[in-house]
């Protein structure tokens, strides 16, 4: 299983450089970091804004005592994220139905702007892969400390001694936290993907949904396929995961019968082929889709309008 490492607009290893000021790329890096920790662009924006506000609240003397402003901002952003993750668990217990990460359109702000320099391409993948829905969903199942350690080390290449000062653990403990999160990834079949096969299966799934072709849906869906929908109590959605190809096929045919989608388009969702549904002149659903061995293994359908705001007016 490859390890998730890569570059943001600014590699975090450069925070060890002593720079007095930050650049616009540094803010992009902080947003990328916060989104991967929280799974929400809105929360990521708030966290980064909070981190900057804390910087400007420091006295001139306190600011001069800090050798690297970006290093300080990364530490503060990461700590705020860890606090948010801890409180988010309690909030999500009260969430109506399934909580899913916010899906992203093909927006370069949230992915790498340069190819990762890899010593061994077989052992590493790009930052773009770390933003996939499969990874973000998996990260919801680990502890806040594991998630922070994994994202900082395996995705952004921060060394364990630096992470230790952020999460309040020893470097060895941080190493174990990242390893534990990595094991979850290694067991997750949803992460294996062939790009060409993925696009072909998604296109075939779209066609079968549009034509109400039950038999084709059954052939495309893995027998153990899982469908999770997030309506957030704002719109009607399945409150529990839908398991199995027959139930999943009937669910999507039911959506067609209810004219849930007047149009379905193929779009990049979190960096991978997905589908977007349109109705009444707007986007009313975004599907992230995992494919393995030529079949759909997971579908994450977000219909909560609060999580679709970034898609409204989006032009691919």
């Amino acid at each position: 299983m490859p390890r998730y490492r890569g570059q943001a607009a600014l590699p975090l290893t450069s925070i060890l450089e002593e720079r007095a000021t930050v650049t616009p790329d540094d803010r992009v890096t902080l947003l990328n970091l916060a989104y991967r920790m929280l799974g929400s662009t809105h929360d990521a924006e708030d966290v980064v804004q909070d981190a900057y506000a804390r910087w400007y609240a420091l006295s001139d003397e306190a600011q001069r005592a800090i050798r690297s402003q970006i290093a300080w901002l990364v530490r503060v952003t990461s700590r705020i994220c860890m606090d948010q993750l801890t409180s988010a668990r309690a909030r999500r217990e009260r969430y109506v139905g399934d909580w899913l990460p916010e899906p992203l359109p093909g927006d370069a702000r949230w992915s790498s702007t340069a190819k990762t320099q890899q010593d061994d391409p077989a052992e590493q993948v790009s930052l773009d892969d770390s933003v996939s829905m499969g990874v973000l969903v998996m990260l919801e199942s680990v502890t806040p400390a594991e998630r922070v350690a994994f994202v900082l080390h395996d995705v952004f290449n921060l060394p364990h001694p630096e992470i230790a000062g952020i999460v309040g653990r020893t470097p060895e403990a941080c190493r174990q936290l990242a390893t534990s999160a990595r094991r979850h990834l290694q067991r997750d079949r949803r992460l294996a993907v062939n790009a060409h096969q993925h696009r072909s299966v998604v296109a075939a799934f779209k066609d079968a949904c549009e034509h109400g072709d039950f038999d084709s849906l059954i052939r495309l869906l893995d027998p153990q396929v899982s469908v999770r929908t997030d309506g957030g109590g704002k719109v009607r959605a399945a409150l529990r995961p839908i398991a199995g190809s027959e139930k999943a096929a009937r669910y999507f045919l039911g959506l067609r019968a209810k004219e849930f989608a007047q149009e379905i388009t193929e779009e990049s969702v979190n960096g991978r082929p997905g589908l977007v549904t349109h109705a009444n002149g707007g986007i009313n659903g975004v599907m992230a889709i995992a494919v393995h061995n030529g079949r759909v293994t997971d579908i994450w359908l977000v219909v909560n309008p609060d999580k679709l705001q970034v898609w409204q007016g989006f032009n691919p």
Side-chain angles (χ1 to χ4, degrees):
M1 175 70 187
R3 296 178 63 186
Y4 284 76
R5 314 183 82 170
Q7 290 182 322
L10 175 72
L12 282 192
T13 50
S14 68
I15 71 168
L16 301 179
E17 300 172 2
E18 296 182 8
R19 290 189 286 114
T21 59
V22 296
T23 69
D25 279 349
D26 291 331
R27 187 174 185 278
V28 173
T29 296
L30 294 174
L31 287 169
N32 272 274
L33 174 68
Y35 173 76
R36 283 158 178 79
M37 289 188 182
L38 302 175
S40 164
T41 60
H42 181 270
D43 289 346
E45 295 274 3
D46 285 348
V47 164
V48 172
Q49 183 174 341
D50 188 4
Y52 275 96
R54 295 187 188 192
W55 168 262
Y56 290 116
L58 295 174
S59 66
D60 291 342
E61 181 181 0
Q63 288 184 0
R64 286 193 296 270
I66 296 171
R67 292 187 298 178
S68 171
Q69 180 182 348
I70 180 59
W72 186 91
L73 285 168
V74 166
R75 294 187 190 102
V76 171
T77 296
S78 299
R79 287 169 185 156
I80 297 172
C81 284
M82 194 155 71
D83 290 341
Q84 288 257 27
L85 287 168
T86 301
S87 62
R89 296 207 162 190
R91 293 198 309 272
R92 289 170 192 171
E93 288 177 359
R94 302 189 296 270
Y95 194 82
V96 179
D98 238 335
W99 186 96
L100 292 175
E102 180 183 343
L104 295 180
D107 188 335
R109 285 192 313 155
W110 303 100
S111 60
S112 60
T113 57
K115 295 294 183 181
T116 305
Q117 297 301 314
Q118 299 174 337
D119 295 327
D120 183 357
E123 292 297 321
Q124 301 177 343
V125 297
S126 72
L127 181 69
D128 297 337
D129 291 302
S130 72
V131 81
S132 72
M133 188 64 75
V135 172
L136 293 174
V137 168
M138 185 285 303
L139 288 175
E140 289 295 313
S141 67
V142 303
T143 68
E146 286 174 335
R147 184 166 186 165
V148 170
F150 173 81
V151 170
L152 287 173
H153 181 264
D154 282 51
V155 180
F156 288 93
N157 297 321
L158 213 61
H160 292 300
E162 182 72 19
I163 299 171
I166 293 171
V167 301
R169 310 282 182 92
T170 65
E172 181 55 32
C174 291
R175 187 185 306 277
Q176 293 302 316
L177 289 170
T179 297
S180 178
R182 200 176 304 125
R183 285 173 182 155
H184 279 77
L185 280 174
Q186 292 170 344
R187 294 194 297 266
D188 201 324
R189 64 176 183 160
R190 297 172 299 195
L191 305 183
V193 61
N194 173 282
H196 176 72
Q197 183 185 83
H198 197 151
R199 282 191 296 272
S200 297
V201 172
V202 169
F205 176 76
K206 169 181 174 290
D207 185 69
C209 287
E210 289 178 327
H211 290 88
D213 190 337
F214 180 81
D215 291 337
S216 292
L217 284 174
I218 291 294
R219 287 193 295 271
L220 288 165
L221 296 170
D222 185 272
Q224 280 77 49
V225 65
S226 171
V227 179
R228 295 174 58 186
T229 62
D230 180 343
K234 305 293 179 69
V235 297
R236 189 171 182 177
L239 298 180
R240 294 181 179 83
I242 299 164
S245 56
E246 185 169 336
K247 288 183 179 179
R250 294 192 186 282
Y251 174 75
F252 285 106
L253 291 182
L255 291 180
R256 176 178 178 270
K258 296 173 184 175
E259 297 185 348
F260 166 73
Q262 296 167 356
E263 181 187 9
I264 305 174
T265 59
E266 297 176 45
E267 310 287 356
S268 173
V269 179
N270 286 69
R272 291 185 177 175
L275 299 176
V276 172
T277 60
H278 307 253
N280 302 317
I283 290 173
N284 67 337
V286 174
M287 274 185 261
I289 299 172
V291 173
H292 183 57
N293 287 337
R295 286 185 167 183
V296 174
T297 58
D298 291 84
I299 298 174
W300 301 279
L301 171 58
V302 178
V303 292
N304 182 346
D306 292 344
K307 295 185 177 182
L308 300 180
Q309 292 179 9
V310 70
W311 288 85
Q312 304 305 335
F314 171 69
N315 294 312

